[in-house]
Amino acid sequence: MSVLDNLQPGVVFHFFEELCNIPHGSGNLQKISDYLVSFAKERGYEVEQDKELNVIIKAPGTAGYEDKEPVILQGHMDMVAVKEDSCDIDMKTDGLRVTTDGEYVWAEGTSLGGDDGIAVAYCLAILDSKDIPHPPLEVVITTNEETGMFGAAAIDLSGLKGKRMINIDNEEEGVFITSCAGGARVYSKLSMEQENADGTKCTVAVSGLLGGHSGEMIKCGRGNANHIAGRILYRLSKEMSVKLISIDGGVADNAIPSNATLRFVVDNGDVDKAQTIVKAVLEEVKGELEAKDEGVDISFATEGASKVLAFNCKDTERVAKMITIMPDGVQAMSAMVAGLVETSLNLGIVKTEGKVVTLEQSVRSSVESSKKVLIDKLLTIGEMFGAEVTVSGEYPGWKFRQHSGLRDHMVRVYQDMYGKAPQVQAIHAGLECGILSEKIDDLDCISIGPDMKDIHSTGEKLSVKSTANVWAYLVEVLKQF
């Protein structure tokens, strides 16, 4: 018996659990893409799979809907695959341990991938049904959205006939997204020299932070473990001779890092002083994050006197200063939409590989010129510190459409079903609607989805009741086209 068998709508949770049994973190998508192709072929649908593993499935309209204008349903198949340190799951090869209490669905020790597995499950449930009325459907499931919307950027939509697209990549029921920020990834690589270092090897671990989606949660002011680790390294480098062994933190550039580990060598006589500095930073950070991210912790451990390969003091200071000087978090709020973040960035990943320390950042803005200025700032900082900086995965924002037949239709159906109007909003997170709108002339888009909590983190939860509500609503929307 499957874990989610007793949940309703049964067909949606059936397919969602099947998807959860297939590893599908960004960059690890061959199996899930092939699963979608097999699903379509088994049911006799026209299906395309491109070299980026994007999948397009076309289904004819049901009886009485054959000649209606096609509707595009869209989501992405990849997830941000993160896990707790104690979890023994290999997210590249193992399925998730999905569980439920009847109110929420989550995965034990890992992220759930409701973003955007629930969109795929909805689409499969509709395509599998024999009694849901709908116009011709063009289902577009893209790849590697979470790492830069690379699938959406590469996909060929010239064979589609639809001009109306329902994106199912929102995490709040009753909220209709109609525009979003543009963004980019910025990678800064610091190449440095290593030497044999004598002294005491120390390990500092930053943990206990909430993390979360760097678009949706950046406004909450949550702690960034990578910046905290850089802050500690900077403070140490000002007070003593310190040689960095490695600095590593974060799992995705669009997820606020909840953990980071700093390893370094100090003179044997400076160990107590180093520990005092770490404790002082912890107290400062606790005060700064009080009521915003109060679970923060920083541990300090030593391995005694040893001889290890480490970066010299000058390069260690270079890394510390570069992280310290880099902007992070909210840079500007919108003057047009109350409470909306206009421009932000997130240092999502810091990793040490051999002689190279790499910083990976996600930049977002609903104002294209502001996005460019922030990228230029990062390029300039990298140049100052001798880093090799590259920009990747740049994508446009999705501009609000003054006149939208699709929005009018979906608002009317919502009002008829629930007796109230939905919230029509712009968001700071990135969606594929901007990229896909550039591929189809006059594409009319809207984004919906069920309630989810703490996406991109091990605390991610999907609401069962909301999943059912959005399913009933989506079915009614298709029926009334």
Side-chain angles (χ1 to χ4, degrees), residues 410-448:
M410 294 185 68
V411 167
R412 179 183 58 77
V413 172
Y414 188 91
Q415 288 176 320
D416 289 345
M417 288 183 69
Y418 300 108
K420 61 181 180 180
Q423 298 179 50
V424 178
Q425 292 184 358
I427 61 168
H428 186 56
L431 291 171
E432 293 165 300
C433 300
I435 294 176
L436 301 180
S437 293
E438 293 190 337
K439 295 175 179 284
I440 300 176
D441 290 339
D442 199 33
L443 183 65
D444 195 357
C445 308
I446 200 163
S447 180
I448 63 171

Tab-separated table of all heavy atoms in Angstrom, residues 410-448:
chain	number	residue	atom	x	y	z
A	410	MET	N	-10.287	33.041	-15.472
A	410	MET	CA	-9.926	32.308	-14.258
A	410	MET	C	-10.415	33.023	-13.001
A	410	MET	O	-10.793	32.373	-12.015
A	410	MET	CB	-8.420	32.066	-14.229
A	410	MET	CG	-7.979	31.120	-15.347
A	410	MET	SD	-6.235	30.666	-15.311
A	410	MET	CE	-6.157	29.661	-13.830
A	411	VAL	N	-10.429	34.336	-13.023
A	411	VAL	CA	-10.980	35.088	-11.896
A	411	VAL	C	-12.484	34.835	-11.778
A	411	VAL	O	-13.016	34.624	-10.671
A	411	VAL	CB	-10.696	36.596	-12.051
A	411	VAL	CG1	-11.535	37.412	-11.062
A	411	VAL	CG2	-9.216	36.879	-11.844
A	412	ARG	N	-13.173	34.815	-12.914
A	412	ARG	CA	-14.623	34.585	-12.889
A	412	ARG	C	-14.944	33.200	-12.341
A	412	ARG	O	-15.840	33.046	-11.494
A	412	ARG	CB	-15.202	34.737	-14.302
A	412	ARG	CG	-16.713	34.485	-14.370
A	412	ARG	CD	-17.233	34.574	-15.788
A	412	ARG	NE	-16.563	33.634	-16.681
A	412	ARG	CZ	-16.837	32.319	-16.708
A	412	ARG	NH1	-17.749	31.819	-15.894
A	412	ARG	NH2	-16.205	31.535	-17.550
A	413	VAL	N	-14.223	32.178	-12.802
A	413	VAL	CA	-14.464	30.815	-12.313
A	413	VAL	C	-14.198	30.738	-10.817
A	413	VAL	O	-14.959	30.117	-10.066
A	413	VAL	CB	-13.588	29.801	-13.079
A	413	VAL	CG1	-13.696	28.414	-12.445
A	413	VAL	CG2	-13.990	29.744	-14.550
A	414	TYR	N	-13.146	31.386	-10.363
A	414	TYR	CA	-12.804	31.374	-8.937
A	414	TYR	C	-13.912	32.032	-8.112
A	414	TYR	O	-14.331	31.510	-7.061
A	414	TYR	CB	-11.478	32.088	-8.720
A	414	TYR	CG	-10.931	31.959	-7.308
A	414	TYR	CD1	-10.073	30.915	-6.986
A	414	TYR	CD2	-11.280	32.862	-6.314
A	414	TYR	CE1	-9.575	30.776	-5.691
A	414	TYR	CE2	-10.791	32.742	-5.024
A	414	TYR	CZ	-9.939	31.697	-4.715
A	414	TYR	OH	-9.460	31.562	-3.445
A	415	GLN	N	-14.389	33.174	-8.577
A	415	GLN	CA	-15.458	33.882	-7.858
A	415	GLN	C	-16.733	33.047	-7.806
A	415	GLN	O	-17.415	33.005	-6.768
A	415	GLN	CB	-15.732	35.230	-8.525
A	415	GLN	CG	-14.635	36.254	-8.316
A	415	GLN	CD	-14.888	37.540	-9.079
A	415	GLN	OE1	-15.342	37.509	-10.221
A	415	GLN	NE2	-14.589	38.668	-8.463
A	416	ASP	N	-17.058	32.374	-8.896
A	416	ASP	CA	-18.255	31.531	-8.928
A	416	ASP	C	-18.128	30.359	-7.958
A	416	ASP	O	-19.107	29.968	-7.310
A	416	ASP	CB	-18.499	30.993	-10.343
A	416	ASP	CG	-18.958	32.079	-11.317
A	416	ASP	OD1	-19.358	33.164	-10.847
A	416	ASP	OD2	-18.907	31.829	-12.529
A	417	MET	N	-16.929	29.807	-7.824
A	417	MET	CA	-16.724	28.644	-6.965
A	417	MET	C	-16.649	29.012	-5.487
A	417	MET	O	-17.156	28.281	-4.630
A	417	MET	CB	-15.434	27.903	-7.367
A	417	MET	CG	-15.526	27.153	-8.681
A	417	MET	SD	-14.003	26.227	-9.045
A	417	MET	CE	-14.057	24.931	-7.786
A	418	TYR	N	-15.996	30.134	-5.182
A	418	TYR	CA	-15.680	30.444	-3.786
A	418	TYR	C	-16.365	31.699	-3.249
A	418	TYR	O	-16.217	32.023	-2.074
A	418	TYR	CB	-14.166	30.570	-3.618
A	418	TYR	CG	-13.439	29.299	-3.980
A	418	TYR	CD1	-12.681	29.220	-5.145
A	418	TYR	CD2	-13.526	28.171	-3.172
A	418	TYR	CE1	-12.027	28.046	-5.491
A	418	TYR	CE2	-12.871	26.998	-3.504
A	418	TYR	CZ	-12.126	26.944	-4.678
A	418	TYR	OH	-11.485	25.778	-5.006
A	419	GLY	N	-17.058	32.408	-4.110
A	419	GLY	CA	-17.789	33.587	-3.651
A	419	GLY	C	-16.910	34.755	-3.267
A	419	GLY	O	-17.347	35.660	-2.539
A	420	LYS	N	-15.702	34.769	-3.697
A	420	LYS	CA	-14.780	35.871	-3.433
A	420	LYS	C	-13.756	35.945	-4.556
A	420	LYS	O	-13.560	34.980	-5.302
A	420	LYS	CB	-14.068	35.688	-2.090
A	420	LYS	CG	-13.228	34.427	-2.015
A	420	LYS	CD	-12.558	34.287	-0.647
A	420	LYS	CE	-11.715	33.005	-0.593
A	420	LYS	NZ	-11.046	32.853	0.732
A	421	ALA	N	-13.107	37.090	-4.668
A	421	ALA	CA	-12.115	37.278	-5.720
A	421	ALA	C	-10.754	36.744	-5.265
A	421	ALA	O	-10.400	36.850	-4.090
A	421	ALA	CB	-11.994	38.753	-6.077
A	422	PRO	N	-9.976	36.180	-6.171
A	422	PRO	CA	-8.612	35.790	-5.821
A	422	PRO	C	-7.720	37.017	-5.713
A	422	PRO	O	-8.094	38.110	-6.158
A	422	PRO	CB	-8.192	34.917	-7.008
A	422	PRO	CG	-8.952	35.502	-8.157
A	422	PRO	CD	-10.275	35.932	-7.581
A	423	GLN	N	-6.549	36.846	-5.126
A	423	GLN	CA	-5.561	37.912	-5.107
A	423	GLN	C	-4.732	37.841	-6.391
A	423	GLN	O	-4.219	36.779	-6.731
A	423	GLN	CB	-4.634	37.769	-3.909
A	423	GLN	CG	-5.319	37.858	-2.568
A	423	GLN	CD	-4.341	37.679	-1.428
A	423	GLN	OE1	-3.292	38.322	-1.371
A	423	GLN	NE2	-4.670	36.789	-0.518
A	424	VAL	N	-4.637	38.946	-7.086
A	424	VAL	CA	-3.822	39.018	-8.299
A	424	VAL	C	-2.546	39.767	-7.944
A	424	VAL	O	-2.602	40.928	-7.531
A	424	VAL	CB	-4.586	39.719	-9.444
A	424	VAL	CG1	-3.702	39.828	-10.680
A	424	VAL	CG2	-5.872	38.948	-9.764
A	425	GLN	N	-1.405	39.099	-8.073
A	425	GLN	CA	-0.163	39.639	-7.533
A	425	GLN	C	1.011	39.536	-8.511
A	425	GLN	O	1.004	38.739	-9.446
A	425	GLN	CB	0.236	38.883	-6.254
A	425	GLN	CG	-0.668	39.106	-5.072
A	425	GLN	CD	-0.146	38.413	-3.824
A	425	GLN	OE1	0.880	37.733	-3.863
A	425	GLN	NE2	-0.840	38.589	-2.716
A	426	ALA	N	2.020	40.352	-8.207
A	426	ALA	CA	3.353	40.194	-8.786
A	426	ALA	C	4.230	39.567	-7.707
A	426	ALA	O	3.979	39.751	-6.519
A	426	ALA	CB	3.919	41.551	-9.190
A	427	ILE	N	5.242	38.803	-8.096
A	427	ILE	CA	6.135	38.192	-7.117
A	427	ILE	C	7.589	38.490	-7.454
A	427	ILE	O	7.929	38.852	-8.584
A	427	ILE	CB	5.939	36.667	-7.023
A	427	ILE	CG1	6.241	35.990	-8.372
A	427	ILE	CG2	4.554	36.322	-6.531
A	427	ILE	CD1	6.351	34.490	-8.275
A	428	HIS	N	8.436	38.321	-6.440
A	428	HIS	CA	9.862	38.552	-6.628
A	428	HIS	C	10.579	37.309	-7.145
A	428	HIS	O	11.653	37.399	-7.715
A	428	HIS	CB	10.480	38.999	-5.301
A	428	HIS	CG	11.918	39.404	-5.424
A	428	HIS	ND1	12.343	40.381	-6.300
A	428	HIS	CD2	13.038	38.953	-4.799
A	428	HIS	CE1	13.653	40.529	-6.193
A	428	HIS	NE2	14.102	39.671	-5.300
A	429	ALA	N	9.993	36.149	-6.936
A	429	ALA	CA	10.599	34.916	-7.436
A	429	ALA	C	10.538	34.891	-8.956
A	429	ALA	O	9.732	35.590	-9.581
A	429	ALA	CB	9.869	33.711	-6.856
A	430	GLY	N	11.386	34.074	-9.562
A	430	GLY	CA	11.395	33.929	-11.008
A	430	GLY	C	10.470	32.811	-11.453
A	430	GLY	O	10.363	31.782	-10.798
A	431	LEU	N	9.776	33.009	-12.558
A	431	LEU	CA	8.958	31.978	-13.168
A	431	LEU	C	9.325	31.876	-14.643
A	431	LEU	O	9.839	32.827	-15.246
A	431	LEU	CB	7.465	32.306	-13.027
A	431	LEU	CG	6.877	32.228	-11.616
A	431	LEU	CD1	5.459	32.797	-11.604
A	431	LEU	CD2	6.869	30.788	-11.120
A	432	GLU	N	9.000	30.737	-15.224
A	432	GLU	CA	9.362	30.514	-16.628
A	432	GLU	C	8.467	31.274	-17.600
A	432	GLU	O	8.749	31.301	-18.800
A	432	GLU	CB	9.300	29.011	-16.929
A	432	GLU	CG	10.366	28.231	-16.185
A	432	GLU	CD	10.099	26.739	-16.172
A	432	GLU	OE1	9.048	26.336	-15.644
A	432	GLU	OE2	10.942	25.983	-16.682
A	433	CYS	N	7.424	31.890	-17.099
A	433	CYS	CA	6.477	32.594	-17.983
A	433	CYS	C	7.159	33.672	-18.823
A	433	CYS	O	6.788	33.886	-19.983
A	433	CYS	CB	5.350	33.207	-17.155
A	433	CYS	SG	4.396	32.006	-16.218
A	434	GLY	N	8.140	34.374	-18.253
A	434	GLY	CA	8.832	35.417	-19.004
A	434	GLY	C	9.572	34.862	-20.196
A	434	GLY	O	9.481	35.397	-21.315
A	435	ILE	N	10.313	33.776	-19.985
A	435	ILE	CA	11.070	33.151	-21.075
A	435	ILE	C	10.123	32.592	-22.128
A	435	ILE	O	10.308	32.802	-23.339
A	435	ILE	CB	11.973	32.028	-20.530
A	435	ILE	CG1	13.061	32.610	-19.632
A	435	ILE	CG2	12.601	31.243	-21.674
A	435	ILE	CD1	13.936	31.571	-18.974
A	436	LEU	N	9.098	31.869	-21.682
A	436	LEU	CA	8.192	31.229	-22.633
A	436	LEU	C	7.349	32.249	-23.388
A	436	LEU	O	6.972	32.021	-24.541
A	436	LEU	CB	7.305	30.225	-21.897
A	436	LEU	CG	8.064	29.106	-21.169
A	436	LEU	CD1	7.094	28.159	-20.480
A	436	LEU	CD2	8.975	28.341	-22.117
A	437	SER	N	7.078	33.393	-22.758
A	437	SER	CA	6.325	34.452	-23.450
A	437	SER	C	7.112	35.019	-24.621
A	437	SER	O	6.520	35.544	-25.581
A	437	SER	CB	5.974	35.578	-22.472
A	437	SER	OG	5.057	35.145	-21.514
A	438	GLU	N	8.426	34.943	-24.556
A	438	GLU	CA	9.248	35.421	-25.663
A	438	GLU	C	9.265	34.438	-26.830
A	438	GLU	O	9.692	34.774	-27.928
A	438	GLU	CB	10.672	35.678	-25.181
A	438	GLU	CG	10.781	36.846	-24.200
A	438	GLU	CD	12.216	37.249	-23.918
A	438	GLU	OE1	13.115	36.414	-24.103
A	438	GLU	OE2	12.429	38.418	-23.551
A	439	LYS	N	8.807	33.203	-26.583
A	439	LYS	CA	8.823	32.175	-27.624
A	439	LYS	C	7.493	32.028	-28.349
A	439	LYS	O	7.426	31.432	-29.426
A	439	LYS	CB	9.203	30.822	-26.988
A	439	LYS	CG	10.627	30.779	-26.423
A	439	LYS	CD	10.895	29.466	-25.698
A	439	LYS	CE	12.314	29.415	-25.158
A	439	LYS	NZ	13.301	29.161	-26.215
A	440	ILE	N	6.417	32.538	-27.734
A	440	ILE	CA	5.087	32.466	-28.348
A	440	ILE	C	4.504	33.871	-28.371
A	440	ILE	O	4.298	34.480	-27.319
A	440	ILE	CB	4.153	31.527	-27.552
A	440	ILE	CG1	4.722	30.099	-27.510
A	440	ILE	CG2	2.747	31.530	-28.140
A	440	ILE	CD1	3.909	29.136	-26.662
A	441	ASP	N	4.249	34.381	-29.555
A	441	ASP	CA	3.709	35.729	-29.689
A	441	ASP	C	2.366	35.849	-28.971
A	441	ASP	O	1.494	34.978	-29.100
A	441	ASP	CB	3.517	36.085	-31.168
A	441	ASP	CG	4.846	36.284	-31.885
A	441	ASP	OD1	5.845	36.530	-31.196
A	441	ASP	OD2	4.859	36.164	-33.128
A	442	ASP	N	2.220	36.927	-28.205
A	442	ASP	CA	0.960	37.267	-27.551
A	442	ASP	C	0.492	36.167	-26.586
A	442	ASP	O	-0.705	35.929	-26.444
A	442	ASP	CB	-0.124	37.538	-28.601
A	442	ASP	CG	-1.293	38.322	-28.022
A	442	ASP	OD1	-1.075	39.152	-27.122
A	442	ASP	OD2	-2.446	38.080	-28.467
A	443	LEU	N	1.436	35.519	-25.915
A	443	LEU	CA	1.066	34.469	-24.964
A	443	LEU	C	0.442	35.089	-23.721
A	443	LEU	O	1.002	35.984	-23.098
A	443	LEU	CB	2.305	33.645	-24.582
A	443	LEU	CG	2.055	32.462	-23.638
A	443	LEU	CD1	1.178	31.412	-24.318
A	443	LEU	CD2	3.366	31.843	-23.187
A	444	ASP	N	-0.711	34.596	-23.351
A	444	ASP	CA	-1.462	35.060	-22.181
A	444	ASP	C	-1.224	34.055	-21.055
A	444	ASP	O	-1.600	32.875	-21.183
A	444	ASP	CB	-2.945	35.139	-22.543
A	444	ASP	CG	-3.753	35.948	-21.544
A	444	ASP	OD1	-3.181	36.407	-20.539
A	444	ASP	OD2	-4.975	36.120	-21.790
A	445	CYS	N	-0.602	34.489	-19.950
A	445	CYS	CA	-0.178	33.560	-18.892
A	445	CYS	C	-0.769	33.918	-17.539
A	445	CYS	O	-1.054	35.082	-17.259
A	445	CYS	CB	1.345	33.579	-18.719
A	445	CYS	SG	2.314	33.339	-20.193
A	446	ILE	N	-0.855	32.905	-16.703
A	446	ILE	CA	-1.176	33.097	-15.293
A	446	ILE	C	-0.544	31.944	-14.522
A	446	ILE	O	-0.352	30.856	-15.077
A	446	ILE	CB	-2.705	33.156	-15.074
A	446	ILE	CG1	-3.048	33.824	-13.740
A	446	ILE	CG2	-3.332	31.780	-15.180
A	446	ILE	CD1	-4.500	34.273	-13.640
A	447	SER	N	-0.188	32.178	-13.272
A	447	SER	CA	0.436	31.129	-12.469
A	447	SER	C	-0.378	30.883	-11.201
A	447	SER	O	-0.736	31.829	-10.492
A	447	SER	CB	1.872	31.508	-12.085
A	447	SER	OG	2.480	30.487	-11.315
A	448	ILE	N	-0.682	29.602	-10.938
A	448	ILE	CA	-1.447	29.217	-9.755
A	448	ILE	C	-0.763	28.046	-9.066
A	448	ILE	O	0.219	27.490	-9.585
A	448	ILE	CB	-2.896	28.815	-10.120
A	448	ILE	CG1	-2.885	27.568	-11.026
A	448	ILE	CG2	-3.622	29.975	-10.788
A	448	ILE	CD1	-4.259	26.966	-11.258
